Amino acid sequence: MSIDEATSLMDLPSPILFEILSRLPPTTLLYVKSVSKSFLNLTLDSEFLKLSRSTSPAGIIINQFSSYETCSTDTLKFLKFKDEDTHSYCHDPKLDLDLQHYFPIDPFWMVGSVHGFVCFNYFPDYVETIYILNPRTREYIILPEAGGIREWPNDAMYSFGFDPVKFKYKVVRIFQEEIYDDNTSYYKSTCQVYTIGKGYWRNAGHVMFSFKPYEVNLYAKIHWLVYDAKGNESICSFDLENELLESFPTSPMYNKERYWHSRSLGVFGRCLCVCDNYADTHFEVWVMKEYRVTSSWVKEIVINISPECNDWLGNEIIYMLKVLEDGEVLFLWRDNFLFLYHPVKKTLKKLDVCAGNILASSHVSSSFSLKSFEGEVVNVF
């Protein structure tokens, strides 16, 4: 074929282009979108969006980190919702990964999942170990230790995110150091960042907040509920591109005299939300309709609690995991079980997935290899 006869990729029919783009790894797709406005427009096409959702549907990954005697420990389970009307779920036991079989440590704590990569934390005897694992390729890397010893009353927590501007995966460690001053105590929280492929940790500033575990990713930022020395609650964000920490007001109705352990941060569609389960009579979800606009908080969900039908719902912390196609919402009750709630139909349904203690996160399986990160030692199990 001569040069004049050669066909460019953009000359292919749109359905074929959609099929090719929908099967690219997430980071490759982000790069392609930045190369050409034509490719960017293709990825914004409604037909491509439908196809990309069907070829790589987001499911739920469950980390069963301890259990009753009849069940295994440190197991990964993968959940998919296969019916848009009934939201029946699919769990194939053949895909379960018994981490204890490959990693003789107990327990593994799942931090989060990004583009098929899953971050885990393991910290026996104050020695912290962070793993990045791809369950599909069975590859994993171990991160070097960060500075700051995790020993009471000091604490540390981890988050995992992706910078879509620089195409970098980052693990964020918040090291909380308790400080005593004039018979009062407060926390100095230092932010440390590890970019996958760089091989070292960096400090990215500090704030005078106590951080609550369980963060959420939204708009290329990681968000936490935080508390100042007086117990006032705010939301703190960490920008994964410029690595800046910022804070802004939390949802209404927070009372520092109340039991703050009953509140959690989540994502409702493309909005931040706060789940509040303090009241004995109901559980509620506040949604921030416009990002960082305090006046945009609205009470989106209220589930009344009655002893006759759902008294199990009350007082414990509840995490929002996913909003399904028709608006039904998937929650995690403490670390015990999943349940679905439909805001319009007012239906409530427990999901009998597995017994014992669990952590859960949205997850999209990917064959993207960790070997593409130069400088990291990749192991295979």
Side-chain angles (χ1 to χ4, degrees), residues 280-345:
D280 294 327
T281 56
H282 64 276
F283 160 69
E284 60 189 31
V285 178
W286 288 83
V287 177
M288 185 179 245
K289 293 292 187 177
E290 296 181 52
Y291 185 66
R292 296 196 60 170
V293 177
T294 305
S295 61
S296 71
W297 283 105
V298 298
K299 191 185 296 186
E300 190 75 21
I301 294 175
V302 177
I303 305 178
N304 293 320
I305 299 173
S306 62
E308 296 79 15
C309 57
N310 61 356
D311 60 346
W312 51 265
L313 194 65
N315 298 122
E316 295 290 348
I317 192 166
I318 294 175
Y319 305 98
M320 180 176 292
L321 294 179
K322 184 179 177 65
V323 179
L324 304 181
E325 290 288 335
D326 70 342
E328 193 164 20
V329 186
L330 179 67
F331 293 97
L332 170 64
W333 188 88
R334 205 171 66 179
D335 58 1
N336 290 72
F337 58 84
L338 305 175
F339 71 90
L340 285 166
Y341 176 74
H342 200 296
V344 177
K345 300 177 182 178

Side-chain angles (χ1 to χ4, degrees), residues 48-331:
F48 169 76
L49 295 175
K50 290 178 184 177
L51 184 60
S52 62
R53 284 197 295 264
S54 65
T55 54
S56 57
I60 299 293
I61 184 171
I62 296 173
N63 173 206
Q64 186 180 7
F65 60 90
S66 66
S67 62
Y68 303 113
E69 295 180 359
T70 56
C71 298
S72 60
T73 60
D74 289 325
T75 301
L76 292 184
K77 300 177 182 290
F78 302 91
L79 198 67
K80 292 183 179 179
F81 291 88
K82 59 182 181 179
D83 191 303
E84 294 184 0
D85 296 322
T86 64
H87 290 149
S88 58
Y89 61 88
C90 175
H91 166 235
D92 186 353
K94 295 179 182 178
L95 299 178
D96 290 355
L97 276 181
D98 184 357
L99 297 177
Q100 200 171 38
H101 179 73
Y102 303 102
F103 305 93
I105 55 180
D106 182 32
F108 245 4
W109 299 88
M110 183 170 65
V111 174
S113 172
V114 179
H115 299 163
F117 298 134
V118 187
C119 181
F120 291 93
N121 184 13
Y122 171 61
F123 51 95
D125 301 323
Y126 309 114
V127 178
E128 299 173 74
T129 306
I130 304 300
Y131 295 79
I132 305 295
L133 180 150
N134 187 331
R136 184 169 174 180
T137 64
R138 303 295 185 94
E139 298 171 340
Y140 70 94
I141 59 176
I142 303 175
L143 274 55
E145 289 186 45
I149 299 176
R150 181 178 188 158
E151 184 175 5
W152 190 89
N154 300 336
D155 198 5
M157 61 187 66
Y158 289 85
S159 306
F160 185 38
F162 177 70
D163 171 11
V165 177
K166 299 177 181 177
F167 311 111
K168 301 293 184 182
Y169 293 88
K170 297 181 179 182
V171 177
V172 177
R173 181 181 190 251
I174 302 294
F175 178 67
Q176 301 186 113
E177 180 183 6
E178 188 170 21
I179 298 175
Y180 293 92
D181 185 16
D182 295 331
N183 296 321
T184 62
S185 65
Y186 56 92
Y187 280 96
K188 175 185 177 181
S189 295
T190 301
C191 181
Q192 300 164 301
V193 182
Y194 184 94
T195 301
I196 306 300
K198 293 296 184 181
Y200 56 88
W201 290 89
R202 296 172 289 102
N203 282 347
H206 70 271
V207 289
M208 307 308 289
F209 288 126
S210 170
F211 281 65
K212 186 171 185 179
Y214 197 83
E215 76 293 337
V216 296
N217 283 274
L218 184 66
Y219 301 128
K221 297 180 181 180
I222 301 174
H223 302 78
W224 303 263
L225 287 179
V226 295
Y227 302 87
D228 65 17
K230 295 182 179 180
N232 299 307
E233 183 182 83
S234 302
I235 296 173
C236 186
S237 68
F238 178 75
D239 191 307
L240 288 160
E241 179 192 357
N242 58 37
E243 300 188 353
L244 293 177
L245 288 161
E246 297 180 308
S247 62
F248 51 95
T250 186
S251 66
M253 306 305 293
Y254 172 70
N255 185 335
K256 62 184 178 182
E257 303 301 326
R258 292 164 48 176
Y259 193 47
W260 65 271
H261 288 285
S262 63
R263 290 167 64 89
S264 70
L265 196 62
V267 174
F268 187 89
R270 296 294 297 168
C271 301
L272 284 175
C273 71
V274 172
C275 300
D276 191 330
N277 199 25
Y278 173 78
D280 294 327
T281 56
H282 64 276
F283 160 69
E284 60 189 31
V285 178
W286 288 83
V287 177
M288 185 179 245
K289 293 292 187 177
E290 296 181 52
Y291 185 66
R292 296 196 60 170
V293 177
T294 305
S295 61
S296 71
W297 283 105
V298 298
K299 191 185 296 186
E300 190 75 21
I301 294 175
V302 177
I303 305 178
N304 293 320
I305 299 173
S306 62
E308 296 79 15
C309 57
N310 61 356
D311 60 346
W312 51 265
L313 194 65
N315 298 122
E316 295 290 348
I317 192 166
I318 294 175
Y319 305 98
M320 180 176 292
L321 294 179
K322 184 179 177 65
V323 179
L324 304 181
E325 290 288 335
D326 70 342
E328 193 164 20
V329 186
L330 179 67
F331 293 97

